Amino acid sequence: MNHAFHVVIPARMGSTRFFGKPLVEIAGRAMVLRVVEQALAAGADSVIVATDHDDIFKCVTDAGYLAHMTDADHPSGTDRIAQVAVEKGWHDNDIVVNVQGDEPAIDPALVAAVAARLHASSDSVMSTAAHALSSAADFLNPNVVKVVLDDDNRALYFSRAPIPYPRDAMRATGGEPLTALPHDLPALRHMGIYAYRVGFLKQYGQLPVSILEQYESLEQLRVLANGHSIAVHVSDAAAAPGVDEPTDVALVEAYLQVRGGC
């Protein structure tokens, strides 16, 4: 069954690592437009680019899509999305998916699945996604964020540390790095996509910052630390590559070419 949801794509011009990133061309098309088109293919009721820059606004609207000007001083993309939800007058029970503006190859099915997961979890204020980890190197890599779930696929904790910790397997290495994961270890890599109920999105900016969030540098821990539930969709596939820095453009173009997306 399909459920209604909105997509908001935060897109800032002033990325510290890659200025002007939303407008960089991916196989001849501005990246932000590719993100919009993937989100529309997910079946969203509306797809809106939330930006603080006239050039991004013009690029999106000239292509016939929706953009919304937001304040320049928002501390996070989540706050930018909240401004759009408030100014659009969306109902507190409406669902908004945050699709990052540097994900031009994101799978539309993943966007729809994260929204559906939140629809199905009435006790959760937001949802996200994860996929199974098979690489010991990724499991040990602090740049790869892990998540552990309860029996109803709600997040218990997110961490840069290797969780759940395979004590016996780690002991057996004699202090050497783990080279293979136990076959039944429920190791999951967090995927950076979120859906929110609008009512919670309005409250989010007022939540106290958690000491856990500060140490792990993971914003979603603020939600758990304040007693809220995050539902998790477990995907069969890893996330498509995104664009963090200029060298990633060629990687994404190659990925799209293999999948016929150029």
Side-chain angles (χ1 to χ4, degrees):
M1 179 179 179
N2 291 327
H3 297 280
F5 65 95
H6 304 282
V7 169
V8 178
I9 301 165
R12 291 175 58 249
M13 186 67 90
S15 167
T16 52
R17 285 186 292 180
F18 192 171
F19 184 84
K21 183 164 65 167
L23 300 181
V24 69
E25 287 199 353
I26 305 287
R29 191 152 177 76
M31 177 162 66
V32 68
L33 299 182
R34 288 190 174 273
V35 181
V36 169
E37 288 153 5
Q38 295 300 96
L40 286 168
D45 282 27
S46 65
V47 176
I48 300 173
V49 174
T51 187
D52 59 358
H53 200 281
D54 289 339
D55 289 352
I56 296 173
F57 185 93
K58 185 175 188 304
C59 173
V60 172
T61 55
D62 282 356
Y65 300 130
L66 300 177
H68 192 95
M69 288 297 289
T70 54
D71 297 343
D73 57 355
H74 282 306
S76 73
T78 310
D79 298 288
R80 199 172 300 282
I81 292 167
Q83 181 183 344
V84 174
V86 168
E87 292 180 356
K88 289 293 182 183
W90 291 336
H91 190 275
D92 282 357
N93 288 330
D94 286 350
I95 286 176
V96 184
V97 182
N98 173 0
V99 174
Q100 295 299 319
D102 56 6
E103 300 283 349
I106 192 168
D107 184 354
L110 177 65
V111 178
V114 170
R117 180 72 182 95
L118 186 52
H119 271 290
S121 185
S122 59
D123 62 344
S124 296
V125 295
M126 58 185 283
S127 62
T128 188
H131 68 86
L133 267 174
S134 57
S135 160
D138 284 345
F139 182 63
L140 298 173
N141 184 349
N143 293 319
V144 173
V145 177
K146 276 71 67 174
V147 58
V148 289
L149 310 180
D150 69 10
D151 290 344
D152 291 320
N153 279 10
R154 290 176 299 224
L156 290 170
Y157 193 63
F158 298 85
S159 184
R160 298 180 182 280
I163 57 171
Y165 188 82
R167 186 196 66 173
D168 293 345
M170 295 292 254
R171 276 182 177 175
T173 67
E176 295 299 316
L178 193 69
T179 57
L181 298 181
H183 76 278
D184 58 350
L185 183 73
L188 295 170
R189 179 176 189 159
H190 178 232
M191 302 163 80
I193 181 172
Y194 299 97
Y196 307 87
R197 298 190 195 280
V198 167
F200 175 71
L201 199 53
K202 293 174 182 176
Q203 303 168 20
Y204 178 85
Q206 281 70 55
L207 289 179
V209 174
S210 159
I211 190 72
L212 298 172
E213 171 190 357
Q214 290 177 321
Y215 270 103
E216 293 259 18
S217 193
L218 296 174
E219 192 177 302
Q220 62 270 35
L221 289 175
R222 185 184 315 179
V223 180
L224 297 183
N226 281 277
H228 297 289
S229 171
I230 300 176
V232 180
H233 164 69
V234 180
S235 171
D236 292 333
V243 177
D244 289 324
E245 48 195 41
T247 54
D248 294 329
V249 170
L251 297 174
V252 172
E253 287 179 334
Y255 178 91
L256 289 171
Q257 189 167 27
V258 168
R259 283 153 183 79
C262 281

